[in-house]
Amino acid sequence: MHAIEVTDLEKRFGEILALDHVSFSVETGEVFGYLGPNGAGKTTTIRILTGITTPTGGSASIFGRDIVRDTIRARKQMGIVYETSNIYDDITAWQNMMFAGELYHVGKQDREERGKELLEIFGLWDRRASRVKGFSKGMKRRLTLAMGLINDPRLLFLDEPTSGLDVQSNLIIRDVLQTLTEKGVTVFLTTHNIEEANLACDRVAIINRGRIAAIDSPERLKKTIQSVQSVEVAFEQGSAKILDDMENLPMVSEVRKVGDKVRLYTEDPGALLREIMLYADSHQNRVVSATTLGPTLEDVFIRLTGIERRNREGGFP
Amino acid sequence: MNAEFDKDQLTAEAVAAWAIAKKDMIIYYLKPNIIVSGLLFPLFMFLAFAAGKNVPLGYLIPGLISVTLLFSSSTIEPVSIPIERRTKTFERLLSAPVSLHAIVIGESLSGFLYSIGIALVPLIVGIIAFKTTIVFPLALIVGMLLTAIVFSTMGTLFAAYPTESPGDIMSMLNLVRLPLIFVSGTFIPLDAMPPLGAWIAYLSPLTYGNDLIQAAYGHTAFFFPLFDVVMLVVFFSIFQFVAHRLYAKYND
């Protein structure tokens, strides 16, 4: 049985078609990434899959239960962690946990045991009696995730779980996600952090303008755009003129400044490397490092969504 | 949403509704705007009416109880729900495995309990300070309970309006609540009203709640008490139904 099955899903808001016959399925135990630019339909999809919004067409089911007709039973299988840390600031961490348990009909003993266990895992047990108002952003995020796990869900919806967090919170959340996936929990992850999706997801779907542009494993998606390879090169003497010069090299389709390096997109990295060395010799500059790179998931994302890179941003000092 | 009302689910709904009510009690009961709107406003209304009337203050106690119930019961949700929309905690309720009915009832329950607690103040002050006598205690209990649940549900209904600002809802709500004081026989008896006012009174749920409470104090009742009860149940059902529909509509 699929953890999530979405068939021909459509959502209209008046004249606006937010989801245009979207279909995909997520296998049990899979970590499924759902990527897309702002306004692509990610939030609408999650709101439908969690039973908050009703689709105007198509269907979606959670472990075989239709989310429209059998909403409550479908929801019992899931934990939901929204992008915003939606916790109650005026009550304590413990009260938040217990409230989440009561909403999900977790028995008193279970919710107290599980609440303690989760607060310990997320490093919040010592602060259980503190009002959440005084918590840092990372602590609030950890508490939100702990609340999402109070009912021991088989499916976890995670919306931007690590966005803008401190290192400690990031590490704890990633560790917990790793443990969950090892236990066979299905994770539906939306994130702007494409590298995070690349590392964590078994498969990713890229949605753009309400349509699924591609679904596959990150590695297979990268293979579909082998033409987008690049050479990342650092010169001893950086200057804004280098960016112009690199752009004029043959075979270069795009130039992008990456920190103190320049990334040059090309279909033939080997030939381009030779051109770069010739350029360095003729300009009495030295190549400090040069690395050839395959396409990244971000490249796939950009290619499929048609987003333009802000290349040459900043320039050299 | 189609809830499956088997026995376990009914228990889950009740537990969740009670959890929502408890959460509201802890977080909102002592918020300044709740105290001003729920407690002080009815008191000042009472004093304003009492100052212009040539009747013993104790005679106005039933009206004060009715107005206190109206304001205190319909105040919590119009404050709490917009705030929770802003902090996205309301989304947590909407995505929980409970029906919208349980959410509406849970939200209304906190207003209901708050108003019963607050309304005990004029009730006790009346007994102690003005030696008021309760002739029909059952009528008082039923009248207070039904009036409180009707108006707390009305508060939840108004809070369905999709705004993140409590002020927006309070403004709309006061457009309804303030006229109700004048057309429901709380401080001005129904038989002393002009014909148009008396007709409007029929449309006000406060008329029936106040009528029961007045009857409990031995004052002349305008309607048969059972009719008051039926009308309050009808208003509660309408408010509950409309609130459910509005939450379903606005959260889609």
Side-chain angles (χ1 to χ4, degrees):
Chain A
M1 185 193 298
H2 297 301
I4 301 174
E5 185 151 25
V6 171
T7 310
D8 236 6
L9 206 60
E10 182 204 84
K11 180 66 185 177
R12 282 184 183 276
F13 295 102
E15 294 293 303
I16 298 165
L17 185 58
L19 286 182
D20 188 1
H21 299 91
V22 166
S23 297
F24 62 85
S25 59
V26 179
E27 301 302 321
T28 302
E30 190 175 24
V31 180
F32 187 83
Y34 202 59
L35 313 178
N38 289 338
K42 297 192 299 290
T43 303
T44 304
T45 308
I46 287 195
R47 285 177 66 88
I48 290 174
L49 292 179
T50 52
I52 295 176
T53 298
T54 311
T56 47
S59 65
S61 62
I62 306 293
F63 293 109
R65 298 196 180 278
D66 187 280
I67 193 63
V68 176
R69 291 197 303 271
D70 205 359
T71 313
I72 292 175
R73 286 203 179 98
R75 280 180 181 164
K76 280 182 178 168
Q77 323 269 340
M78 55 173 95
I80 307 164
V81 180
Y82 289 106
E83 182 178 5
T84 310
S85 293
N86 55 348
I87 47 183
Y88 298 94
D89 278 354
D90 291 318
I91 56 178
T92 66
W94 182 252
Q95 286 171 321
N96 268 287
M97 286 297 290
M98 294 302 103
F99 176 63
E102 285 174 286
L103 274 187
Y104 279 80
H105 200 210
V106 181
K108 189 168 189 289
Q109 192 181 342
D110 280 352
R111 70 174 176 262
E112 286 182 354
E113 284 173 9
R114 194 151 171 78
K116 180 174 188 286
E117 182 192 348
L118 285 165
L119 288 182
E120 282 173 346
I121 290 170
F122 284 99
L124 295 169
W125 178 244
D126 292 342
R127 300 292 304 275
R128 65 189 178 281
S130 303
R131 281 190 183 196
V132 172
K133 197 172 269 180
F135 281 17
S136 68
K137 185 180 176 187
M139 290 163 76
K140 286 182 177 180
R141 198 79 193 119
R142 280 184 266 155
L143 179 57
T144 310
L145 190 46
M147 288 167 76
L149 295 171
I150 190 75
N151 59 328
D152 203 7
R154 294 169 69 194
L155 166 64
L156 186 63
F157 286 95
L158 278 177
D159 196 359
E160 299 288 347
T162 57
S163 171
L165 293 190
D166 58 286
V167 176
Q168 185 201 7
S169 299
N170 246 322
L171 290 175
I172 292 174
I173 289 174
R174 284 188 176 148
D175 275 356
V176 172
L177 285 183
Q178 181 71 34
T179 310
L180 288 172
T181 53
E182 283 166 11
K183 279 173 60 184
V185 174
T186 310
V187 177
F188 187 94
L189 172 74
T190 64
T191 178
H192 283 103
N193 187 341
I194 294 171
E195 190 50 27
E196 181 175 52
N198 183 37
L199 293 174
C201 296
D202 297 308
R203 286 190 306 144
V204 295
I206 295 176
I207 182 169
N208 191 34
R209 293 174 188 169
R211 288 181 177 181
I212 297 289
I215 303 181
D216 216 327
S217 68
E219 289 311 312
R220 277 204 289 270
L221 281 175
K222 289 178 210 169
K223 278 187 184 160
T224 62
I225 55 163
Q226 275 303 330
S227 59
V228 186
Q229 298 180 72
S230 58
V231 174
E232 203 168 85
V233 58
F235 291 96
E236 194 167 64
Q237 294 158 5
S239 76
K241 188 174 176 302
I242 286 179
L243 289 170
D244 289 331
D245 293 343
M246 293 293 107
E247 209 159 34
N248 292 326
L249 289 178
M251 296 162 277
V252 172
S253 57
E254 186 184 343
V255 177
R256 190 177 170 203
K257 182 183 175 304
V258 183
D260 64 342
K261 297 175 276 296
V262 184
R263 187 177 293 169
L264 308 167
Y265 288 85
T266 180
E267 289 184 14
D268 189 349
L272 180 59
L273 266 175
R274 285 191 294 276
E275 290 292 333
I276 291 168
M277 300 315 286
L278 285 173
Y279 170 87
D281 281 347
S282 62
H283 288 78
Q284 281 85 48
N285 203 342
R286 196 170 73 85
V287 172
V288 179
S289 71
T291 315
T292 58
L293 302 166
T296 63
L297 191 57
E298 184 176 274
D299 295 325
V300 179
F301 181 83
I302 287 166
R303 173 66 66 91
L304 291 174
T305 57
I307 291 175
E308 288 196 15
R309 270 188 226 276
R310 295 184 65 200
N311 58 342
R312 304 188 53 174
E313 192 175 319
F316 285 109
Chain B
M1 189 190 310
N2 181 14
E4 310 79 18
F5 283 101
D6 53 33
K7 192 181 163 196
D8 281 351
Q9 187 53 38
L10 266 181
T11 311
E13 300 271 308
V15 168
W18 178 236
I20 292 167
K22 271 192 305 182
K23 175 264 299 172
D24 281 356
M25 289 181 217
I26 297 169
I27 297 176
Y28 298 106
Y29 272 16
L30 295 178
K31 293 264 185 210
N33 41 358
I34 300 278
I35 292 172
V36 168
S37 185
L39 181 63
L40 297 183
F41 194 81
L43 179 65
F44 288 130
M45 289 299 293
F46 168 72
L47 293 175
F49 273 100
K53 285 220 158 212
N54 200 15
V55 291
L57 280 180
Y59 192 81
L60 296 176
I61 288 292
L64 175 61
I65 292 173
S66 301
V67 173
T68 304
L69 287 167
L70 162 68
F71 276 87
S72 56
S73 62
S74 57
T75 291
I76 303 276
E77 294 73 35
V79 171
S80 68
I81 291 175
I83 289 175
E84 295 197 3
R85 269 198 202 98
R86 192 169 62 224
T87 58
K88 310 292 180 201
T89 43
F90 197 61
E91 197 106 317
R92 180 177 288 286
L93 306 185
L94 293 174
S95 60
V98 292
S99 69
L100 263 179
H101 285 294
I103 296 171
V104 171
I105 289 171
E107 292 287 354
S108 304
L109 195 56
S110 61
F112 166 78
L113 293 173
Y114 178 73
S115 68
I116 293 295
I118 296 288
L120 286 177
V121 176
L123 177 69
I124 293 167
V125 168
I127 292 168
I128 294 170
F130 303 112
K131 311 290 181 216
T132 51
T133 311
I134 298 156
V135 183
F136 302 111
L138 183 64
L140 181 68
I141 293 166
V142 173
M144 285 177 69
L145 293 179
L146 285 177
T147 306
I149 195 65
V150 165
F151 287 112
S152 61
T153 309
M154 188 182 87
T156 308
L157 186 160
F158 272 79
Y161 180 72
T163 176
E164 295 180 353
S165 163
D168 291 347
I169 293 173
M170 280 298 188
S171 304
M172 288 191 298
L173 191 57
N174 282 335
L175 277 177
V176 174
R177 291 195 301 191
L178 290 172
L180 287 188
I181 299 172
F182 299 99
V183 299
S184 305
T186 50
F187 298 123
I188 305 164
L190 290 177
D191 47 15
M193 281 186 190
L196 180 65
W199 275 107
I200 295 171
Y202 284 105
L203 302 174
S204 161
L206 187 61
T207 300
Y208 306 100
N210 179 64
D211 198 50
L212 262 181
I213 293 167
Q214 296 283 357
Y217 277 84
H219 300 176
T220 310
F222 202 78
F223 302 106
F224 189 64
L226 191 61
F227 181 72
D228 289 328
V229 170
V230 169
M231 288 307 291
L232 287 168
V233 171
V234 167
F235 273 109
F236 166 72
S237 305
I238 292 170
F239 290 164
Q240 175 76 16
F241 174 77
V242 176
H244 180 272
R245 295 295 293 264
L246 289 180
Y247 280 99
K249 178 187 170 192
Y250 286 133
N251 291 301
D252 193 14

